[in-house]
Amino acid sequence: MRGSAMVELLIGQVLSYSADPFAIGPAAAQHRSRGAVAIEGGRIASVGEAAVLRAAYPQARVTDYGRKLISAGFIDAHVHYPQTAIIASWGKRLIDWLNTYTFPEEMRFADPDYAAAVAERFFDLTLANGTTSVCSYCTIHPASVDAFFNAAALRGQRVWGGKTCMDRNAPEGLRDTAQSGYDDSRALLGKWHGAGRANYVITPRFSPTSTPEQLAAMGALWAENPNCLMQTHLSEQTDEIAWAKSLFPAARDYLDTYEEHGLLGAGGLYGHSIWLEAREKARLVEVGASLIHCPTSNSFIGSGLFDMAGLKSAGQIVGLATDTGGGSSFSMLRTMAAAYEVAQLRGTALHPSQLWWLATSGSAQSLHASDKIGNIAPGMEADLVVIDLASTPAIAQASARASDIWESIFPTIMMGDDRATHAVWIAGILVQ
Ligand code: GUN
Ligand code: ZN
């Protein structure tokens, strides 16, 4: 890892977690109103009261952020960087949206220069929103994977990504085969997995765009590389579920189309997971798989209302994600707001401590990386965001009335955007 040898001491309001607030409530969070984070060699060396850490690190370079909030950087656990340019495309539901907007745009990634340009733009946009790690789909083209990991490496970011495999129900030019999907994925995995902070993710797009042969090939690759994660889509829209079942008539349910081909496991990331059947929920929790909640996308494409309260209380692992360009914002603040609104529509008011945890530690847990990122604790990689809790007049006047930290944060969750990002640190280096 990069990182300067000097100790950096960041002072401000510091928010960290010692547990999952869905399990024990807001007491899972620690808030220090005059706290400090000491960074050394790209990692967090210490977290505590500002006065104590100032005395412990007299030689440190000090940055005093005053009343601003120092948090772990946001982690977007499911996103499609190649869809950056088609965000906010009007009027379609999932399958139509894929055919009308997504596939034509993904075709353009046959040009490596275009892929590199969009990857650069994507990381600029997400960093401006305080997102320090992402788990992204690329396109069918191996060069789109190189563009993604190269752009992340330039910025020093810990990222996950993989070549999106499709060998049916996609246009000519966006299809590989079971064999070439396996071969390309294997070569990219060998090139990128563990290179610096890069993590390769085996990526069959979803059952409707893969033959059983391709799913089996992806399952074989995963079995050969069990330390890799595998990402796909599951139970996003009712039409999609009916289509998946019709393409796999022997499957017990949508999840079974993956399970039968070696694509169900603890390292599996199942995007959306809205309309799960009882057997699917039981199997997902049994294997310890991760469900990725994409609330702006689920509303924008008209998919449905994810059952956060029910799934978390059943012990499911859940991460939070934008799913751009199906999602309508690059901001994890906006994404937390959407998660709050969706939960309200299902009768639960998620607490700000839960929303913030989902966007940081929860996403890290879903990516099996909570020992590295997603929290402020000694030994963790120093990926931090500094948030202005009064970034617009509307937010400032609401947070001015706050009587505790959660009332002071919640207006930024509900109304905040990239203007709330005051600073971003990646591996102990100020990048934004
Ligand atoms: N299902 C299969 N591909 C996609 C995609 O690109 N976006 C979303 N939201 N759902 C999908
Ligand atoms: Zn997706």
Side-chain angles (χ1 to χ4, degrees):
M1 257 177 55
R2 313 184 303 172
S4 89
M6 164 190 275
V7 176
E8 301 273 5
L9 195 62
L10 315 189
I11 294 177
Q13 302 202 62
V14 177
L15 183 64
S16 58
Y17 287 88
S18 56
D20 178 347
F22 284 89
I24 66 165
Q30 286 72 54
H31 167 247
R32 292 181 171 87
S33 58
R34 193 72 183 146
V37 183
I39 302 171
E40 197 169 5
R43 289 180 192 276
I44 294 166
S46 187
V47 52
E49 296 302 324
V52 174
L53 263 62
R54 266 185 185 276
Y57 295 96
Q59 312 291 344
R61 178 163 65 192
V62 175
T63 309
D64 191 337
Y65 288 115
R67 299 295 298 159
K68 296 192 170 58
L69 181 74
I70 303 172
S71 162
F74 299 132
I75 303 172
D76 187 343
H78 177 127
V79 60
H80 299 256
Y81 97 80
Q83 298 170 14
T84 296
I86 58 146
I87 191 168
S89 291
W90 183 82
K92 303 289 182 190
R93 290 171 65 84
L94 178 59
I95 307 304
D96 249 10
W97 174 84
L98 285 171
N99 288 319
T100 308
Y101 298 119
T102 308
F103 290 161
E105 177 63 13
E106 292 193 7
M107 297 263 237
R108 300 183 66 182
F109 286 69
D111 173 2
D113 291 339
Y114 186 70
V118 177
E120 289 291 318
R121 196 192 313 161
F122 169 77
F123 280 108
D124 286 348
L125 288 165
T126 49
L127 267 181
N129 280 287
T131 299
T132 49
S133 282
V134 301
C135 180
S136 185
Y137 290 64
C138 300
T139 65
I140 197 96
H141 314 95
S144 76
V145 179
D146 293 337
F148 172 77
F149 284 124
N150 280 326
L154 260 180
R155 294 160 176 79
Q157 290 178 247
R158 177 166 294 285
V159 294
W160 286 255
K163 172 191 135 83
T164 298
C165 295
M166 296 193 275
D167 69 343
R168 65 168 161 175
N169 293 320
E172 177 69 38
L174 270 194
R175 291 194 304 269
D176 49 18
T177 66
Q179 188 64 48
S180 72
Y182 173 91
D183 292 342
D184 287 348
S185 300
R186 185 167 178 273
L188 289 162
L189 190 162
K191 178 174 179 181
W192 288 111
H193 192 59
R197 302 183 80 195
N199 302 274
Y200 192 81
V201 186
I202 296 164
T203 308
R205 180 173 217 122
F206 67 155
S207 292
T209 49
S210 288
T211 59
E213 293 70 33
Q214 179 163 76
L215 293 181
M218 295 288 110
L221 184 62
W222 198 17
E224 290 153 18
N225 297 277
N227 60 344
C228 277
L229 302 180
M230 187 284 305
Q231 63 183 343
T232 192
H233 296 86
L234 177 67
S235 281
E236 180 175 2
Q237 216 162 81
T238 49
D239 297 359
E240 170 224 16
I241 297 166
W243 190 29
K245 286 181 173 175
S246 75
L247 290 165
F248 294 85
R252 289 168 287 183
D253 45 44
Y254 194 163
L255 183 66
D256 201 30
T257 65
Y258 298 125
E259 186 169 0
E260 277 295 286
H261 297 99
L263 294 171
L264 175 62
L269 313 172
Y270 301 89
H272 303 279
S273 293
I274 299 168
W275 304 96
L276 298 175
E277 298 176 18
R279 192 201 78 89
E280 294 176 309
K281 288 186 216 173
R283 287 295 288 143
L284 287 161
V285 81
E286 191 177 5
V287 305
S290 299
L291 314 184
I292 312 297
H293 180 31
C294 309
T296 72
S297 170
N298 295 344
S299 300
F300 182 74
I301 314 185
S303 300
L305 305 177
F306 182 84
D307 180 17
M308 180 67 77
L311 292 164
K312 278 294 289 179
S313 65
Q316 302 277 6
I317 296 167
V318 179
L320 188 65
T322 65
D323 190 37
T324 53
S328 53
S329 174
F330 294 100
S331 166
M332 289 299 284
L333 294 171
R334 174 71 200 106
T335 305
M336 290 182 230
Y340 179 79
E341 289 162 353
V342 167
Q344 280 284 53
L345 288 168
R346 294 198 63 128
T348 301
L350 296 177
H351 191 269
S353 64
Q354 296 173 323
L355 295 164
W356 206 274
W357 180 88
L358 282 167
T360 54
S361 300
S363 280
Q365 182 186 45
S366 76
L367 297 170
H368 296 246
S370 42
D371 57 332
K372 298 184 182 68
I373 57 170
N375 199 5
I376 297 181
M380 306 280 287
E381 296 171 0
D383 296 343
L384 302 169
V385 62
V386 182
I387 296 282
D388 179 355
L389 295 174
S391 62
T392 69
I395 294 172
Q397 59 90 39
S399 63
R401 297 164 53 97
S403 54
D404 66 18
I405 182 62
W406 303 118
E407 286 180 10
S408 139
I409 287 177
F410 195 54
T412 289
I413 291 179
M414 292 311 299
M415 297 190 282
D417 55 27
D418 54 348
R419 288 170 289 180
T421 309
H422 180 76
V424 180
W425 293 75
I426 300 279
I429 293 176
L430 180 67
V431 297
Q432 180 94 16

